[in-house]
Amino acid sequence: MGILEKMRLDGKAAFVTGGARGIGKSIATALAEAGADVAIVDLDIEEAQRTAEELRVLGRQAIAVKTDVTSPADVGAMMEEIIASFGKLDIAFCNAGICINAPASEMTYEQWSKVIDINLSGVFLTAQAAGKQMLKQGHGGSIITTASMSAHIVNIPQPQCSYNASKAGVIQLTKSLAVEWAEQGIRVNSISPGYIGTELILNSPALTSLIEQWNAMSPMRRMGRPDELQAIAVYLAGDASSFATGGDFIIDGAFTCV
């Protein structure tokens, strides 16, 4: 099998959490373009349905599933709906996340807990559900989590200790799951994006001055684009990456190098 064939995802079924917009939507689109059927998992069900409809235009099966990734009951129902629609699960992209910028001395416990619950516990619950289904199926699979360059550095000037801690936890969780499930053929990897110019970020007037500072600190002098994460996700999802597990792949325009 040639390398291009190994990059294809024909016949595979995937879910993407936080898939309605931004990075999640970009990855979901890439998986569908590579041949996978995709479940768009998001709290915003209306936007998720619009994204799923766009993927169906590509000729793939696509469904929208409303899910609170911090709720074990919701995640269980999510998996039931995905299996009912696709009959199996081969790829999981555990991506849903938030950031709250607040100084550590002023951050409330509720703010801390919300970030940790979504970014870390939500990744655990959805990756666990995917892993259990893949173990049941008995033919392996690929789980990809979204960490961040913020797991490797402390971002400035914005204060975001809860986000940084949650993303560092995602990387260690990813490695732990990779080791536990390696013999069963379930590969688990994380991607660590740098600053990515999603529509939400680029259209926020409150972030204009921050974006200018981030770009000034970046060796490439710009933010990344959501589509610049697509190739690594497709690679990790398919057979081309059959020996890649427990890895963290930094895509940040060399931001963490300086």
Side-chain angles (χ1 to χ4, degrees):
M1 182 184 295
I3 187 62
L4 294 180
E5 288 79 10
K6 289 181 180 179
M7 293 290 286
R8 293 294 306 173
L9 303 176
D10 300 288
K12 296 185 182 295
F15 74 67
V16 178
T17 68
R21 56 172 58 83
I23 290 174
K25 179 178 180 179
S26 183
I27 298 303
T29 301
L31 298 179
E33 288 177 347
D37 298 324
V38 185
I40 304 300
V41 178
D42 208 289
L43 268 178
D44 187 345
I45 189 61
E46 292 183 358
E47 192 67 24
Q49 289 170 339
R50 283 190 283 270
T51 296
E53 179 58 34
E54 291 178 23
L55 300 192
R56 286 193 286 272
V57 172
L58 299 173
R60 308 312 312 162
Q61 292 188 65
I63 60 172
V65 186
K66 183 176 182 178
T67 305
D68 176 355
V69 297
T70 70
S71 165
D74 266 26
V75 173
M78 172 199 82
M79 282 304 309
E80 290 179 2
E81 186 168 348
I82 291 169
I83 299 307
S85 296
F86 299 155
K88 62 173 183 171
L89 179 72
D90 304 291
I91 303 159
F93 190 76
C94 306
N95 166 73
I98 64 166
C99 182
I100 295 177
N101 291 334
S105 59
E106 301 173 12
M107 179 174 286
T108 66
Y109 182 68
E110 288 72 23
Q111 289 174 318
W112 168 270
S113 296
K114 184 174 183 179
V115 173
I116 298 298
D117 284 350
I118 294 174
N119 293 9
L120 183 54
S121 298
V123 168
F124 168 71
L125 288 173
T126 51
Q128 179 193 46
K132 289 169 68 174
Q133 178 63 33
M134 291 171 183
L135 288 169
K136 180 180 178 182
Q137 292 168 178
H139 53 72
S142 176
I143 299 172
I144 307 162
T145 64
T146 301
S148 172
M149 73 173 182
S150 303
H152 301 271
I153 62 169
V154 176
N155 304 66
I156 56 172
Q158 71 277 18
Q160 53 181 55
C161 67
S162 58
Y163 182 84
N164 299 348
S166 71
K167 293 302 186 177
V170 167
I171 290 178
Q172 193 64 5
L173 170 63
T174 298
K175 292 180 178 180
S176 299
L177 297 179
V179 171
E180 287 195 30
W181 294 335
E183 291 187 4
Q184 287 75 39
I186 300 171
R187 297 180 298 104
V188 192
N189 293 282
S190 59
I191 63 171
S192 282
Y195 292 116
I196 301 297
T198 63
E199 289 186 15
L200 186 65
I201 289 177
L202 294 178
N203 294 331
S204 173
L207 294 178
T208 299
S209 63
L210 276 178
I211 291 173
E212 292 176 353
Q213 293 180 69
W214 297 339
N215 289 346
M217 289 187 285
S218 170
M220 294 187 74
R221 299 292 185 259
R222 68 174 178 88
M223 302 178 75
R225 303 186 308 271
D227 68 277
E228 291 178 306
L229 302 175
Q230 291 180 324
I232 188 67
V234 172
Y235 163 73
L236 291 173
D239 295 336
S241 59
S242 57
F243 198 55
T245 193
D248 177 59
F249 296 80
I250 302 175
I251 307 97
D252 69 346
F255 197 100
T256 56
C257 295
V258 297

